[in-house]
């Protein structure tokens, strides 16, 4: 039996988030929300240590869930995400009413958010696993995807 072979493991997450695209020439310039679906796929070789609590795992799904919750879900779930160049009076009005607001140095498109999430997850993963792909569904029919073969890290 060939147990020491690399493979991928995927966990799927969902969260709610609103955003607006600064200076956009369509409806997405208005504040609106999505039910996001985030697919995280990691690459590694399952641990082969009889008696070890993680025997046979690339990474414990519970540990991957905790990592993604800390890096992505906690900051972004039920948040309003805006470009930091959004007019200050608008930003201040949300803060005044204790609205969860995340300001980004980039346009908060699905593509840019995906790349931000890739960086956050990659930097938090243990050395023994690599980020293989990340897919961010903004709607049921629209998503952005990053994978290691397109853009090696």
């Amino acid at each position: 039996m060939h147990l020491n072979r690399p493979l991928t493991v995927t966990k799927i997450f969902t969260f709610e988030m609103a955003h607006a695209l600064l200076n956009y020439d369509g409806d997405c310039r208005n504040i609106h929300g999505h039910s996001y679906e985030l697919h995280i796929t990691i690459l590694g070789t399952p641990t082969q240590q009889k008696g070890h609590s993680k025997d046979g795992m690339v990474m414990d799904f519970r540990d991957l869930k905790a990592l993604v919750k800390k890096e992505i879900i906690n900051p972004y779930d039920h948040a309003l995400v805006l470009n930091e160049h959004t007019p200050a009076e608008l930003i201040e009005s949300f803060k005044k009413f204790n609205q969860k607001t995340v300001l980004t140095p980039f346009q908060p498109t699905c593509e840019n958010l995906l790349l931000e999430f890739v960086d956050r997850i990659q930097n938090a993963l243990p050395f023994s696993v690599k980020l293989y792909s990340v897919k961010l569904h903004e709607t049921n029919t629209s998503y952005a995807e990053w994978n290691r073969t397109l853009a090696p890290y």
Side-chain angles (χ1 to χ4, degrees), residues 56-76:
M57 297 179 187
V58 171
M59 183 177 184
D60 190 328
F61 283 117
R62 180 178 58 190
D63 295 339
L64 183 56
K65 180 180 178 180
L67 183 152
V68 173
K69 185 175 181 188
K70 178 183 177 212
E71 296 297 326
I72 310 299
I73 305 302
N74 288 347
Y76 289 94

Side-chain angles (χ1 to χ4, degrees), residues 47 49-57 59-60 62-63:
T47 302
Q49 296 179 2
K50 287 194 185 279
H52 190 278
S53 65
K54 309 294 185 194
D55 185 31
M57 297 179 187
M59 183 177 184
D60 190 328
R62 180 178 58 190
D63 295 339

